[in-house]
Amino acid sequence: MKKEYDILVIGSGLGGLVSALVLAKEGLKVCVLEKNNQYGGNLQTFSRDKLIFDTGVHYLGGLSEGQNLNRFFSYLEIMDGLELQKMDEDGYDRISFGNESVQYPHAQGYQNFVEQLSRYFPEEKENLENYCEEIQYVCSQFPRYHVIGKDHYNEEILHLNTKRFIESVTQNKKLQSVLLGSNFLYAGDSENVPFYVHALTVNSYIQSAYKCVKGGSQISKLLIRKLREYGAEVHKHSEVSGFVFDENNILKSVQTKAGKEYSARQFISNIEIRATMKLIGEERLKKSFMNRVLSWKPVSSCFSVYIVLKSQSLPNFNYNIYHYSSEEQVWNAFRYRKETWPETYMLSSTASKHHPEFAESLTAISYMDFEEVKEWENTFNTVADEHERGEAYEKFKLEKTEKMIEALEKKIPGLRHAIRRIYTSSPLSYRDYIGNFEGNMYGYMKSSENPLKTMVSPRTKIDNLFLTGQSVNMHGILGVTIGAFNTCAEMLGKDIIDGRLIQMINNEGK
């Protein structure tokens, strides 16, 4: 049984779905294959006690009118369908250290960002203004950050180092730590990471910060609905297990574990780059390319604690808390000692449907090295393929959960009395559900020393196979969306993609 398509997309993470929809809108016959029970990769949510929890997407930036993600989502025709809630304008993120009671705000809007922090650092106002100018400048140098424009990277910008840059903006050690406070969004390495990673991440949220009311999975649901409207096929429980090549090294078709074969003219892989390489086969890849990818270090994984609260037991807060055991911790937040874990955590709350002034749930996330769960690495467990990992694993999770609750109680005294039920996920859950190598959160570590080492072209050595997704270049909702448009520009031609987007921008407000 063989089906023929113009485009076959492997993996239904955001990059795969966006690429598929851009191409389906061009009238191409598109098919998306997903191995899991749920579409969406990092957009997946799960439901417990009739509440929705996000696995990856906790908030979105750049979604107000005229801003970049808004424009991309408008082009994809999903913007109007999103149920969004704007986060606290005077502090969508709050940064705190040790036992201090102060929470330093990151506010929406550049002027407001400067004003809110100037209250705590009055003598730093000019430095804060320079910081805002610089992050905007760096973002402007990136292909498609402003939807249309540059088609290549400014190499000088790529080599800027976050640590050196932040130290050049201000001498104030506390302010340096506050500006870096949300570096959880790029895995907590501010010493080595290129400054562009920091700028691209932070800038979108300063423009505007929103929560998805019913979780991040509404993005994938809307994309799939649109794909079907444009005649595309989307199949889950369809794990690709093999590539079939012709004698000219052109990819002809893929085979799934269930024994089906899908043929297409062109293919896009939205799965982990190492998994893609395995499917291609070593003999078809350059040794130098393979060695380069295999030398990449995955960014840290995490341990998440999902807390269901008793009704009306805890006030809701419309912002994220990033807490560090000390100011110095910020620079290398992903490094921790097991004895003092969690030294860092991100905490967010979800408002109760019936009593919005109260929270119905909390999510707390901290870094966790894959090493900590290595003894269970040969176990596999998802909804579609359930297996127990055993008693020792359950004990391990309980101990970690207890440590997390202990840490959170310092911030929210009496939290225990408000808890109704607790669920957790470990690096193994991220690996099994999302397919990330060692359960990493955001692909691979980037270094300002050698920024091009972890950048990969969407084109591969196989003429009709393209790449997209977070293990290729940029991560995050915006980064992956931009990456998908770049992949499509490689396939259709930059002029066609730019033309469509210019047309849409010109029609705005008409």
Side-chain angles (χ1 to χ4, degrees):
M1 203 183 111
K2 204 193 249 189
K3 286 192 164 186
E4 299 253 348
Y5 302 92
D6 294 316
I7 311 283
L8 188 95
V9 180
I10 304 156
S12 73
L14 181 65
L17 294 176
V18 170
S19 304
L21 184 49
V22 170
L23 297 167
K25 278 175 66 112
E26 294 298 319
L28 295 166
K29 195 177 175 192
V30 178
C31 176
V32 181
L33 300 179
E34 167 57 51
K35 71 170 185 175
N36 276 329
N37 187 46
Q38 199 183 134
Y39 299 115
N42 273 318
L43 296 168
Q44 289 176 68
T45 52
F46 65 92
S47 174
R48 295 286 184 276
D49 297 77
K50 296 182 183 159
L51 304 182
I52 290 171
F53 290 94
D54 273 302
T55 55
V57 177
H58 297 96
Y59 59 144
L60 303 166
L63 270 183
S64 288
E65 212 164 310
Q67 292 173 358
N68 51 13
L69 194 57
N70 179 300
R71 283 180 163 161
F72 286 122
F73 280 4
S74 296
Y75 180 75
L76 297 165
E77 302 171 53
I78 64 167
M79 192 60 220
D80 293 343
L82 288 173
E83 278 190 61
L84 301 167
Q85 178 199 351
K86 198 160 200 196
M87 296 176 74
D88 190 329
E89 299 214 1
D90 292 336
Y92 60 90
D93 283 344
R94 312 273 170 113
I95 318 300
S96 63
F97 307 101
N99 299 321
E100 270 187 55
S101 57
V102 181
Q103 296 191 140
Y104 298 93
H106 287 190
Q108 298 184 51
Y110 301 107
Q111 203 181 332
N112 195 23
F113 184 90
V114 172
E115 270 171 31
Q116 296 299 331
L117 279 178
S118 296
R119 292 178 182 181
Y120 299 91
F121 304 96
E123 65 298 334
E124 295 284 333
K125 190 169 186 188
E126 200 181 318
N127 290 337
L128 284 162
E129 284 166 351
N130 291 340
Y131 168 78
C132 285
E133 255 172 59
E134 286 295 333
I135 59 171
Q136 289 174 78
Y137 170 71
V138 167
C139 290
S140 75
Q141 298 300 298
F142 265 74
R144 278 201 201 287
Y145 191 82
H146 291 303
V147 183
I148 300 159
K150 299 195 170 299
D151 57 359
H152 60 276
Y153 295 104
N154 170 340
E155 252 202 74
E156 206 179 304
I157 293 283
L158 298 182
H159 284 276
L160 280 176
N161 169 275
T162 303
K163 181 175 168 67
R164 287 195 289 275
F165 182 85
I166 294 289
E167 287 175 341
S168 75
V169 167
T170 174
Q171 301 295 296
N172 187 309
K173 294 271 187 246
K174 171 68 68 70
L175 181 56
Q176 288 174 4
S177 297
V178 168
L179 291 175
L180 294 170
S182 60
N183 71 12
F184 203 96
L185 295 165
Y186 51 88
D189 178 8
S190 291
E191 285 204 325
N192 306 304
V193 85
F195 180 65
Y196 79 82
V197 175
H198 172 88
L200 293 173
T201 307
V202 172
N203 189 56
S204 293
Y205 293 111
I206 297 178
Q207 287 181 340
S208 63
Y210 292 88
K211 275 188 181 185
C212 280
V213 175
K214 287 181 184 161
S217 64
Q218 61 171 306
I219 298 170
S220 48
K221 284 174 185 152
L222 288 166
L223 287 167
I224 284 162
R225 191 181 306 159
K226 275 288 156 203
L227 274 166
R228 290 189 169 132
E229 275 176 33
Y230 280 98
E233 287 182 30
V234 193
H235 303 288
K236 52 187 175 184
H237 303 295
S238 301
E239 182 172 352
V240 172
S241 56
F243 280 0
V244 180
F245 292 89
D246 69 10
E247 62 284 357
N248 300 316
N249 208 26
I250 297 292
L251 185 53
K252 275 193 334 184
S253 62
V254 303
Q255 288 166 335
T256 67
K257 266 193 172 163
K260 289 186 179 173
E261 194 168 339
Y262 295 82
S263 300
R265 287 190 304 107
Q266 293 182 304
F267 299 79
I268 297 174
S269 176
N270 177 221
I271 58 175
E272 159 66 50
I273 192 164
R274 289 172 184 238
T276 307
M277 283 171 23
K278 221 174 248 171
L279 288 167
I280 293 169
E282 282 186 28
E283 69 284 2
R284 288 190 180 82
L285 291 163
K286 275 191 174 170
K287 263 274 185 285
S288 56
F289 175 76
M290 278 185 60
N291 292 338
R292 176 158 71 104
V293 172
L294 295 174
S295 74
W296 295 352
K297 286 188 166 51
V299 304
S300 186
S301 187
C302 60
F303 187 83
S304 301
V305 177
Y306 307 98
I307 299 170
V308 178
L309 296 164
K310 291 173 186 166
S311 180
Q312 301 179 58
S313 60
L314 204 73
N316 186 49
F317 48 93
N318 191 20
Y319 50 85
N320 304 304
I321 294 169
Y322 289 95
H323 182 75
Y324 298 85
S325 55
S326 69
E327 289 167 39
E328 296 69 46
Q329 176 75 38
V330 172
W331 295 98
N332 288 296
F334 68 100
R335 293 203 176 101
Y336 62 91
R337 290 175 306 154
K338 285 185 197 173
E339 312 81 67
T340 49
W341 186 93
E343 295 179 11
T344 305
Y345 59 77
M346 175 201 178
L347 179 67
S348 61
S349 80
T350 304
S352 156
K353 278 185 277 297
H354 306 297
H355 307 280
E357 67 277 20
F358 289 98
E360 63 182 16
S361 68
L362 299 175
T363 299
I365 310 172
S366 189
Y367 296 103
M368 184 172 280
D369 296 332
F370 193 75
E371 275 305 306
E372 290 214 46
V373 293
K374 208 162 174 58
E375 62 182 280
W376 303 285
E377 73 176 329
N378 295 323
T379 64
F380 185 86
N381 181 29
T382 63
V383 170
D385 191 6
E386 283 195 60
H387 299 279
E388 291 294 316
R389 298 198 207 269
E391 220 172 284
Y393 178 69
E394 293 307 318
K395 185 171 176 279
F396 165 81
K397 289 205 299 182
L398 269 175
E399 281 167 8
K400 290 292 179 185
T401 304
E402 179 53 36
K403 283 187 164 188
M404 179 65 89
I405 302 299
E406 235 172 76
L408 293 177
E409 277 217 295
K410 290 176 186 160
K411 178 76 65 189
I412 308 170
L415 171 65
R416 273 175 209 280
H417 305 300
I419 296 175
R420 192 155 63 99
R421 213 165 268 127
I422 296 177
Y423 301 94
T424 58
S425 61
S426 79
L428 294 170
S429 323
Y430 288 92
R431 180 200 67 181
D432 293 355
Y433 277 96
I434 295 159
N436 296 349
F437 178 63
E438 294 191 346
N440 72 68
M441 286 192 282
Y442 310 122
Y444 294 90
M445 285 187 166
K446 295 169 174 57
S447 163
S448 57
E449 293 299 306
N450 191 355
L452 296 175
K453 184 185 174 187
T454 49
M455 285 193 164
V456 174
S457 163
R459 280 188 177 278
T460 69
K461 287 284 175 275
I462 288 142
D463 279 351
N464 63 337
L465 173 64
F466 297 80
L467 304 174
T468 199
Q470 73 167 8
S471 62
V472 186
N473 305 336
M474 280 148 59
H475 71 273
I477 296 283
L478 178 64
V480 168
T481 300
I482 288 175
F485 274 84
N486 286 339
T487 298
C488 294
E490 286 285 343
M491 298 172 80
L492 296 172
K494 183 177 181 293
D495 295 349
I496 286 179
I497 295 292
D498 282 359
R500 300 285 186 262
L501 291 165
I502 289 166
Q503 200 178 347
M504 179 197 72
I505 290 166
N506 290 341
N507 288 335
E508 275 177 1
K510 276 189 182 173

